[in-house]
Amino acid sequence: DTENMVSFWNKSVQAADISVVPSQNAFELVKRYGHKNIQYVPHGIDTNTYKPCTYEEKIEFRKYLGIPEKAYVIGMVAHNQHRKKIYRLLVAFQEFAMKNPDAILVMHTAPRDSTGWDLPLIIGDMGLNGRVLFTDKASKGFGDIHVPESELRKLYCAMDIHALSTGGEGFGVPLVEAMACGIPNVAPAYTTPKEFF
């Protein structure tokens, strides 16, 4: 999930008989550090589930999720951890929201996490209460609450855009899920987003 080899990963790679990586970014990084036996096996998604929706479905999904029908919806699906740079997304959204009164940010993440941010506190401090919504099934790094893929499709299809302000991705499954649903992404040109875009 970086473009620079971290010493911990370098030691692990050097000790491995084979490195199996999910991205070209990781493949090139491991190769650059002299490892020879590397296999690239990308993650995949079920395109029978993650697929574009009709306008009527989008409105239906917004009602189902409690999202205002006429809002401009920026969505984010990510674990609440510092690497995801969620604070940076909130700063960008705050600026966007000042010029776009119909914009809301819908976050599929744990509102508070010891490995991340106290998002309700930050949202309140930024004056964004009522403009940032959380899904009722938030994602946590280990031992995730299971959210059926059909439910995630409804969330993606309810969005106008998916934004991931990440500081690095080993793969970036939400980016691919959003694209499969026909939803455009905004993400930094760093690590795997460069491959996907």
Side-chain angles (χ1 to χ4, degrees), residues 45-105:
I45 62 163
D46 180 0
T47 55
N48 290 317
T49 300
Y50 293 103
K51 58 188 176 187
C53 68
T54 64
Y55 177 77
E56 291 75 23
E57 284 179 302
K58 180 181 283 288
I59 299 306
E60 175 190 326
F61 296 158
R62 286 187 176 189
K63 285 180 186 172
Y64 173 78
L65 294 164
I67 297 171
E69 181 180 325
K70 301 289 185 188
Y72 184 82
V73 180
I74 300 168
M76 182 209 74
V77 175
H79 295 303
N80 181 358
Q81 54 185 227
H82 291 291
R83 176 174 57 88
K84 300 295 182 173
K85 307 289 186 196
I86 296 171
Y87 180 78
R88 181 168 56 187
L89 177 61
L90 287 169
V91 170
F93 176 71
Q94 182 183 41
E95 185 175 330
F96 184 80
M98 287 181 355
K99 299 173 187 169
N100 298 278
D102 63 336
I104 63 169
L105 176 61

Side-chain angles (χ1 to χ4, degrees), residues 67-155:
I67 297 171
E69 181 180 325
K70 301 289 185 188
Y72 184 82
V73 180
I74 300 168
M76 182 209 74
V77 175
H79 295 303
N80 181 358
Q81 54 185 227
H82 291 291
R83 176 174 57 88
K84 300 295 182 173
K85 307 289 186 196
I86 296 171
Y87 180 78
R88 181 168 56 187
L89 177 61
L90 287 169
V91 170
F93 176 71
Q94 182 183 41
E95 185 175 330
F96 184 80
M98 287 181 355
K99 299 173 187 169
N100 298 278
D102 63 336
I104 63 169
L105 176 61
V106 178
M107 303 176 88
H108 180 67
T109 194
R112 291 180 177 88
D113 195 291
S114 61
T115 63
W117 310 90
D118 182 338
L119 296 172
L121 179 66
I122 295 168
I123 290 163
D125 287 349
M126 297 176 86
L128 292 173
N129 287 328
R131 302 290 300 273
V132 179
L133 310 174
F134 291 94
T135 62
D136 64 347
K137 298 176 181 76
S139 176
K140 166 65 183 129
F142 297 98
D144 285 352
I145 296 170
H146 177 69
V147 178
E149 291 185 325
S150 59
E151 291 291 304
L152 281 173
R153 176 185 178 251
K154 290 175 185 175
L155 176 59

Side-chain angles (χ1 to χ4, degrees), residues 20-21 26-27 30 40 54 89 145 154 157 180 196:
V20 181
V21 297
F27 184 90
V30 171
Y40 166 54
T54 64
L89 177 61
I145 296 170
K154 290 175 185 175
C157 286
F196 299 145

